[in-house]
Amino acid sequence: QVQMVESGGGLVKPGGSLRLSCAASGFTFSDYFVNWMRQAPGRGLEWISSISSSSLYIHYADSVKGRFTISRDNAKNSLYLQMNSLRAEDTAVYYCARDNGDYVNDAFDIWGQGTMVTVSS
Amino acid sequence: QSALAQPASVSGTPGQSITISCTGTSSDVGAYNFVSWYQQHPGRAPKLMIYDVSNRPSGVSNRFSGSKSGSTASLTISGLQAEDEADYYCASYTTTNTLVFGGGTKLTVL
C-alpha cells in the first residue's frame, strides 16, 4: 500500500548530528514533492523542508536553514534529512510527507508514522 | 514566518456544527487559495482533511468543509461526532514557496 516510513531518530548530544531517512512505497516516488515536518512534545506542527521531484527546488524554514540538509534518492525511493549542529529545541517527532501533486507543494496526503529525535546531554 | 493564528480550543455537542478559524497575512493565507487542514488524534500522524481551501480528499466525510475570506480561512465540521475530537491544524503556502502551519486547535466533543 501507499506508505512512507521514517527511521534514524534517537538521542543525540547538543551540537551533534543525525541523519533521518524516509522510505516510500506504493507510489511513483519520483513524481512527487516531499517534505519534512516536526512536532515538539506537546506542541504544534512545524514545516521544516521540502524538495521537488528532481531535487531542483529545495526550501527550508528559517529555524533550520544552514544546519539541516534535505536530499532524496529516487532510485531508492528514499528521502533524507541530514541534521547538524543540533539544539535542544530540535527535540521533536519528525515526519516525512508527500505532497498530493496538486498545483503547488501545499497539501500533504501521505505521512509517515514519525521518528523521535531527542537532543540532550 | 510566524505561525497562523488559530483558537487554542473549541467545543461542541454531538450533532452541532463548529467552525475553526485560521488567520494569516497577505504573504500566506491572503496570497493564494492554497490552504489545507489536518486532523491529528493523539499519538497519530496528521491526516489531510481539506486542501486548496475547500477541496476534500477522497474518503473524507462531507461533514468537513472549508472556506476563506481575505486572510482568514475556516474549517467547519457539521453534525459533530465523538470521533471528530482531535487537534486540527491549518497550513498555508506562502509567497516564499514555504509552508506555515497554524498553532493548532483542540476540538472537544462534549
Side-chain angles (χ1 to χ4, degrees):
Chain A
Q1 74 273 30
V2 176
Q3 65 176 0
M4 302 180 79
V5 179
E6 303 92 341
S7 60
L11 175 64
V12 61
K13 289 181 168 52
S17 298
L18 207 58
R19 189 194 197 208
L20 304 183
S21 299
C22 172
S25 59
F27 65 97
T28 305
F29 179 71
S30 57
D31 283 349
Y32 292 87
F33 252 97
V34 282
N35 300 260
W36 287 101
M37 269 70 66
R38 67 184 179 184
Q39 187 169 34
R43 305 293 297 274
L45 294 168
E46 179 187 14
W47 172 87
I48 57 174
S49 186
S50 65
I51 185 168
S52 62
S53 56
S54 61
S55 304
L56 184 60
Y57 301 105
I58 289 175
H59 299 284
Y60 297 99
D62 289 344
S63 58
V64 305
K65 199 174 294 183
R67 300 187 300 122
F68 290 12
T69 302
I70 191 172
S71 62
R72 65 190 295 165
D73 185 336
N74 287 340
K76 295 182 178 179
N77 293 329
S78 293
L79 173 69
Y80 306 102
L81 186 68
Q82 177 66 43
M83 304 186 295
N84 298 331
S85 303
L86 283 162
R87 308 165 179 165
E89 54 264 37
D90 295 317
T91 295
V93 174
Y94 284 72
Y95 294 100
C96 60
R98 182 190 85 169
D99 176 64
N100 69 350
D102 208 341
Y103 303 107
V104 299
N105 177 50
D106 71 310
F108 310 135
D109 60 348
I110 304 296
W111 292 66
Q113 84 288 353
T115 187
M116 182 70 202
V117 172
T118 303
V119 183
S120 174
S121 54
Chain B
Q1 188 77 47
S2 299
L4 306 176
Q6 296 182 234
S9 63
V10 298
S11 62
T13 56
Q16 270 191 331
S17 292
I18 63 96
T19 297
I20 300 171
S21 61
C22 170
T23 301
T25 70
S26 57
S27 296
D28 38 64
V29 177
Y32 309 109
N33 288 328
F34 295 137
V35 176
S36 53
W37 289 89
Y38 300 86
Q39 176 191 65
Q40 187 180 35
H41 287 107
R44 303 293 298 273
K47 176 185 177 184
L48 179 65
M49 305 302 285
I50 296 287
Y51 67 96
D52 296 350
V53 174
S54 59
N55 293 319
R56 274 187 313 276
S58 174
V60 172
S61 170
N62 59 10
R63 297 186 298 106
F64 291 82
S65 62
S67 62
K68 193 191 89 164
S69 178
S71 295
T72 298
S74 299
L75 173 71
T76 298
I77 308 174
S78 59
L80 208 57
Q81 299 179 0
E83 60 260 35
D84 299 332
E85 185 163 294
D87 293 327
Y88 290 84
Y89 295 91
C90 62
S92 176
Y93 192 69
T94 78
T95 54
T96 55
N97 306 117
T98 60
L99 255 290
V100 60
F101 280 93
T105 298
K106 182 177 180 60
L107 169 61
T108 301
V109 180
L110 301 169

